[in-house]
Amino acid sequence: FIDIDLSQLKRKMMTIRSLATLILLIAVVTEQQFVVALQRPSSKSTAKRLASSRNNSSNFHHVASRGGAHQETSTKLGLSISPDSMFATSLRFAGPLMFTGMQLASVRTAYGIHKAKSTGNFSPLPFTSLLVNCFVWTLYGILKKDLSVLIPNANGIAMGMIGVLTYQKYASTVPTKLYGVAAIICAAAYKLFLNKNPFKIGLIGCSLAVVLCGSPLATIGTVLKDKSTASLPFLNSLTTWMNALCWFSYGILVANDVMIFGPNGMGLALASIQMLMFILFGLPPPK
């Protein structure tokens, strides 16, 4: 007979159900807001507002990994709170703080690799995606002359480089394809930077924000196979989840900007899957 703790199993099932409901809610809200954005009346005034929205590409810098300050957006999607309220102000500060927490968590993971002198089952993707993501948004911050974007992401380049170099020092192989793709993305963003095209750099950054949030899932196959979260850094996953939640809430409630809540909604769903692994298999064993 299989010895099963029914009370513990029930608690896990209830937690899984709650998390699944959260993911479903995120997907539904994001999908509905996209539909609202696409189905607005095509009047002349609406066309002017849309043109203004496209031209004001500075709105992009609110995405999760950018840590930008609030700017008024021209896309109104129905859900909002007063931009001057205490809650809105808290959300504006929470995003940059959580992004800094993500960077520090990455360095802590790199330190753990250095201390163990082994990469274990860790993936190089989280370090590489952090480095590339911050490089792209640093270029964006320079073009927009926005220190709230430039400073945290320039700092993130250093944090990501520490992680990549530490990982590679103890890795037995070189992830050539991963580094190749990263180099191509950086080269493309730099060319856009030379052409002074912050809008397209912002589009690249939006995609990278989703990759950054989901990057710890690169080891999910190992997690499911071993039924252990030893290869999934808990602190990275937790700060990623909190970061995405803050920016998703900000995008929906304050900025009303699809370019904020869209990528962060997808990132929050991916980060929630990571947290689900800890619910199913527990925290990583102490080293």
Side-chain angles (χ1 to χ4, degrees), residues 199-279:
F199 180 81
K200 290 184 178 179
I201 294 177
L203 290 178
I204 295 175
C206 286
S207 302
L208 290 174
V210 179
V211 174
L212 181 61
C213 288
S215 58
L217 289 175
T219 61
I220 192 170
T222 303
V223 172
L224 295 174
K225 180 181 178 182
D226 298 341
K227 299 186 184 303
S228 170
T229 56
S231 61
L232 196 61
F234 174 72
L235 191 58
N236 287 53
S237 300
L238 179 61
T239 53
T240 298
W241 186 84
M242 293 177 67
N243 178 72
L245 177 62
C246 289
W247 284 106
F248 176 74
S249 301
Y250 175 82
I252 284 284
L253 300 175
V254 181
N256 294 301
D257 192 340
V258 69
M259 298 310 299
I260 303 174
F261 71 74
N264 286 289
M266 290 183 282
L268 181 58
L270 293 174
S272 297
I273 295 175
Q274 298 169 43
M275 301 310 295
L276 177 61
M277 296 299 101
F278 294 108
I279 294 172

Side-chain angles (χ1 to χ4, degrees), residues 64-223:
S65 58
R66 282 159 274 177
H70 171 68
Q71 294 183 2
E72 189 68 24
T73 60
S74 58
T75 304
K76 300 299 181 183
L77 299 180
L79 294 176
S80 65
I81 60 176
S82 172
D84 298 324
S85 68
M86 183 65 69
F87 183 62
T89 302
S90 299
L91 287 177
R92 281 196 286 272
F93 280 99
L97 287 175
M98 287 300 104
F99 182 47
T100 302
M102 284 179 63
Q103 297 178 16
L104 295 176
S106 178
V107 172
R108 185 176 183 274
T109 301
Y111 176 74
I113 292 176
H114 172 72
K115 189 176 180 180
K117 299 188 183 304
S118 171
T119 58
N121 291 323
F122 287 115
S123 167
L125 182 58
F127 301 121
T128 308
S129 60
L130 176 64
L131 174 60
V132 176
N133 182 79
C134 290
F135 176 78
V136 170
W137 285 111
T138 297
L139 297 180
Y140 181 89
I142 294 173
L143 288 179
K144 302 302 296 184
K145 296 181 175 60
D146 192 334
L147 293 180
S148 62
V149 178
L150 176 60
I151 293 176
N153 283 286
N155 182 66
I157 292 177
M159 301 293 186
M161 185 63 72
I162 290 173
V164 170
L165 293 177
T166 302
Y167 180 91
Q168 200 53 54
K169 180 179 179 180
Y170 299 103
S172 57
T173 59
V174 179
T176 307
K177 291 182 179 180
L178 175 62
Y179 292 160
V181 171
I184 292 173
I185 294 174
C186 289
Y190 187 68
K191 183 176 182 181
L192 292 171
F193 171 76
L194 294 178
N195 294 334
K196 301 186 184 303
N197 193 333
F199 180 81
K200 290 184 178 179
I201 294 177
L203 290 178
I204 295 175
C206 286
S207 302
L208 290 174
V210 179
V211 174
L212 181 61
C213 288
S215 58
L217 289 175
T219 61
I220 192 170
T222 303
V223 172

Side-chain angles (χ1 to χ4, degrees), residues 3-36:
D3 186 15
I4 299 177
D5 187 341
L6 293 179
S7 61
Q8 184 179 6
L9 181 61
K10 287 181 179 179
R11 286 196 299 271
K12 285 189 175 182
M13 291 302 296
M14 290 179 65
T15 308
I16 292 171
R17 183 181 300 175
S18 300
L19 196 54
T21 303
L22 173 62
I23 295 174
L24 180 61
L25 179 61
I26 293 169
V28 170
V29 171
T30 304
E31 186 270 339
Q32 287 179 343
Q33 296 297 337
F34 270 110
V35 170
V36 171

